[in-house]
Amino acid sequence: MNFSIDRQTLDELNLLGKFRQGSVYHLFNRVKTRGGERLLDAMFQHPLTDRNAINERSGIFSYFQKAALVFPFDVQQLNLMQEFLDAGYGSTGIGVFSTTYFRKVLSALTRDERHRKNIQGIQAVIVTLNKCASFLEIMPGTGGLFGEKMNAIRRVLGGTQLEKLCQMDIYKDLPLRLMAQYNHLLKNKLANELEEVIQFIHELDVYIAVSEVAERAGFTYASAEDPALNFLEGEELRHPCLQGAIGNDLRMDQNSNVIFLTGANMAGKSTLMKSIGINLYLAHMGFPVAAGKFSFSVRDGMYSSINVADNIGLGYSHFYAEVVRVKQAAEAAASGKRLMLMFDELFKGTNVKDAYDGTLAVTEGFAEYQDCLFIVSTHIIEVGEALKGTDNIQFVFMPTIMDGLHPTYTYRLAQGITEDRQGMMIIRNEGILELIAATPVN
């Protein structure tokens, strides 16, 4: 089953984007090879929904972080090796020999570079395979699927024909017949095995790069549990892309699957929501998370409504766009999927009375889907009072502390419903009313 997430949620959480500063992808994209980047892309595009697969991958990342290994391969040599293997030389021994001979003759008569590229390709294969063999010797033992893959690569490198090739002096001229034999061996007989080696190197690139990010940032690894347990628990959970981010503890489960979040503007409500969503997504990828501890039951997907905008092309107002978004989430929840649903400042595009009624009705409605986890934030604290009779809702807020007339923020969750009402104080502090009063009216 695929993890359900749509473009809006991906954008609101800033998960993807190779060149987008501040994106989660950009944070982890420290790979050195094109193949490693393709693999990283695939991991970000396809979170896992099997708890064993999630824990297996996070275990591999943790293994590499503890081993503190350095990527040993020369990227230029890897590229030459890949170009060599991709270049066609024929599928039979005779065909390969003819092509090898023809290109050598052309190189002597013209400026044809293919023969020289062929020599460089064989040299790159030897250099890369020797580095791979040396690297495997220093890698600590590990079990599971990755341990099996390591042993499979060792068997490939330990084959008689490759062992003989790897012992060659790469700077010594090869007789034409021997060069043709190695072309045939590497491009045809052992083509699949060498592709396995290259794929293994790309995986090493990703595992080393991501584990280095985790080590520098002080990230940990989540524990994935059975979906039926229906919970999420984090300690010191924080936004992975913010320097000096403040962590928070939280727990959601079957009996308290709804978080009703209040707090003033700039108190950190949206950042908290994004922190939860991003870390849950990373956890489903098997990636390190920005938390002291994190465990969760596997979700089927995630939907957010944090930065809903109007849609001029479709003729949607801001309020109608919000309504459409809530409808999409309701349809997903009604399908029976176990989801994480996050709504920041519901119905802020309409009047206060409708926003109150809508926020109350939607929160009560989603609270009935106890297989889902639901977070809603609002400025309308009166809604919280009306919801206090709903047993599975937990009330938390982001506090504001006044320093004289100036608000400051702890970014630490507190239990209950906020009583902070500093909106007019901030307006007065900025001198807006005096400015309006002093402006002459024509």
Side-chain angles (χ1 to χ4, degrees):
M1 181 185 296
N2 294 326
F3 187 86
S4 296
I5 187 167
D6 63 2
R7 174 55 57 181
Q8 179 172 324
T9 305
L10 291 169
D11 289 343
E12 288 181 341
L13 300 182
N14 202 11
L15 288 165
L16 307 182
K18 176 180 177 180
F19 302 108
R20 184 185 296 173
Q21 290 291 332
S23 73
V24 181
Y25 179 93
H26 186 269
L27 172 68
F28 285 101
N29 186 18
R30 299 295 179 266
V31 295
K32 295 177 170 59
T33 65
R34 292 194 296 265
E37 190 169 78
R38 287 193 296 270
L39 183 57
L40 185 69
D41 289 346
M43 290 179 174
F44 263 90
Q45 294 284 352
H46 304 287
L48 305 170
T49 55
D50 178 83
R51 82 173 271 217
N52 293 327
I54 292 169
N55 290 330
E56 176 81 25
R57 184 183 286 172
S58 64
I60 296 171
F61 280 122
S62 179
Y63 161 84
F64 275 92
Q65 186 172 344
K66 291 174 184 175
L69 299 168
V70 177
F71 189 70
F73 300 95
D74 185 287
V75 175
Q76 184 177 2
Q77 292 292 316
L78 283 170
N79 291 337
L80 286 172
M81 178 178 176
Q82 188 69 70
E83 290 172 8
F84 166 78
L85 294 175
D86 291 341
Y89 261 70
S91 58
T92 66
I94 295 175
V96 172
F97 180 83
S98 299
T99 303
T100 305
Y101 175 78
F102 179 69
R103 290 184 178 178
K104 183 175 183 180
V105 172
L106 277 180
S107 69
L109 298 175
T110 69
R111 294 183 178 180
D112 193 294
E113 293 287 314
R114 288 177 293 178
H115 181 67
R116 183 179 62 85
K117 286 282 189 182
N118 186 62
I119 294 172
Q120 291 176 336
I122 294 176
Q123 292 171 339
V125 170
I126 294 172
V127 169
T128 302
L129 294 183
N130 280 329
K131 283 191 175 181
C132 192
S134 299
F135 189 72
L136 283 169
E137 288 179 2
I138 66 170
M139 287 183 72
T142 181
L145 294 176
F146 193 74
E148 294 175 9
K149 182 168 290 189
M150 288 167 57
N151 290 332
I153 299 301
R154 288 189 179 103
R155 287 193 293 272
V156 169
L157 299 178
T160 304
Q161 293 171 308
L162 282 185
E163 270 195 330
K164 185 177 179 181
L165 173 70
C166 291
Q167 291 168 4
M168 288 177 48
D169 182 352
I170 64 171
Y171 300 107
K172 185 177 179 180
D173 287 338
L174 284 177
L176 185 64
R177 184 171 295 277
L178 186 57
M179 182 181 294
Q181 288 176 358
Y182 281 126
N183 279 336
H184 185 50
L185 173 70
L186 300 174
K187 292 174 178 292
N188 295 312
K189 291 184 177 180
L190 296 179
N192 291 335
E193 287 83 352
L194 291 178
E195 284 297 335
E196 286 181 26
V197 172
I198 291 175
Q199 178 64 22
F200 177 70
I201 291 171
H202 293 159
E203 290 181 27
L204 291 178
D205 188 14
V206 172
Y207 290 133
I208 291 172
V210 171
S211 64
E212 286 177 348
V213 172
E215 180 67 23
R216 287 197 302 270
F219 293 167
T220 58
Y221 295 92
S223 174
E225 304 296 341
D226 188 272
L229 295 175
N230 198 40
F231 82 102
L232 180 152
E233 185 171 19
E235 296 179 6
E236 289 299 309
L237 186 72
R238 61 194 187 276
H239 198 296
C241 300
L242 296 180
Q243 292 289 333
I246 302 296
N248 279 287
D249 299 347
L250 61 92
R251 178 178 173 86
M252 306 176 75
D253 56 35
Q254 193 79 20
N255 299 317
S256 57
N257 66 305
V258 179
I259 288 179
F260 188 83
L261 175 63
T262 52
N265 276 330
M266 300 187 294
K269 300 189 302 299
S270 298
T271 300
L272 176 65
M273 279 191 177
K274 292 177 182 179
S275 301
I276 296 169
I278 290 169
N279 282 295
L280 184 60
Y281 191 86
L282 289 172
H284 278 84
M285 292 167 56
F287 269 46
V289 295
K293 184 179 179 182
F294 192 81
S295 55
F296 68 103
S297 59
V298 176
R299 303 279 91 192
D300 294 320
M302 183 191 315
Y303 286 86
S304 69
S305 180
I306 298 175
N307 301 316
V308 177
D310 56 8
N311 190 318
I312 297 174
L314 293 176
Y316 290 180
S317 67
H318 184 278
F319 172 66
Y320 190 69
E322 289 182 297
V323 172
V324 169
R325 188 60 180 162
V326 172
K327 179 183 177 182
Q328 292 168 344
E331 289 172 344
S335 70
K337 292 181 178 179
R338 300 177 186 273
L339 304 171
M340 165 62 78
L341 303 166
M342 299 181 294
F343 294 90
D344 187 25
E345 298 292 348
L346 270 174
F347 307 127
K348 51 184 173 286
T350 189
N351 64 78
V352 174
K353 177 64 169 64
D354 284 342
Y356 171 92
D357 292 339
T359 300
L360 177 60
V362 167
T363 305
E364 287 178 329
F366 276 112
E368 296 179 5
Y369 291 99
Q370 290 189 267
D371 285 339
C372 293
L373 304 178
F374 179 54
I375 306 173
V376 59
S377 76
T378 184
H379 279 117
I380 308 172
I381 59 179
E382 291 81 6
V383 176
E385 297 298 328
L387 289 170
K388 282 188 174 179
T390 308
D391 293 337
N392 59 318
I393 297 179
Q394 51 178 307
F395 299 93
V396 294
F397 70 97
M398 303 296 279
T400 301
I401 298 175
M402 297 306 300
D403 181 9
L405 296 176
H406 300 283
T408 61
Y409 310 101
T410 68
Y411 306 115
R412 291 279 189 183
L413 271 178
Q415 297 297 312
I417 301 172
T418 185
E419 296 182 358
D420 298 330
R421 296 178 184 270
Q422 282 86 31
M424 280 304 299
M425 182 180 296
I426 294 172
I427 290 173
R428 292 191 180 96
N429 287 347
E430 295 299 319
I432 294 173
L433 301 181
E434 291 81 359
L435 181 63
I436 295 172
T439 303
V441 179
N442 294 327

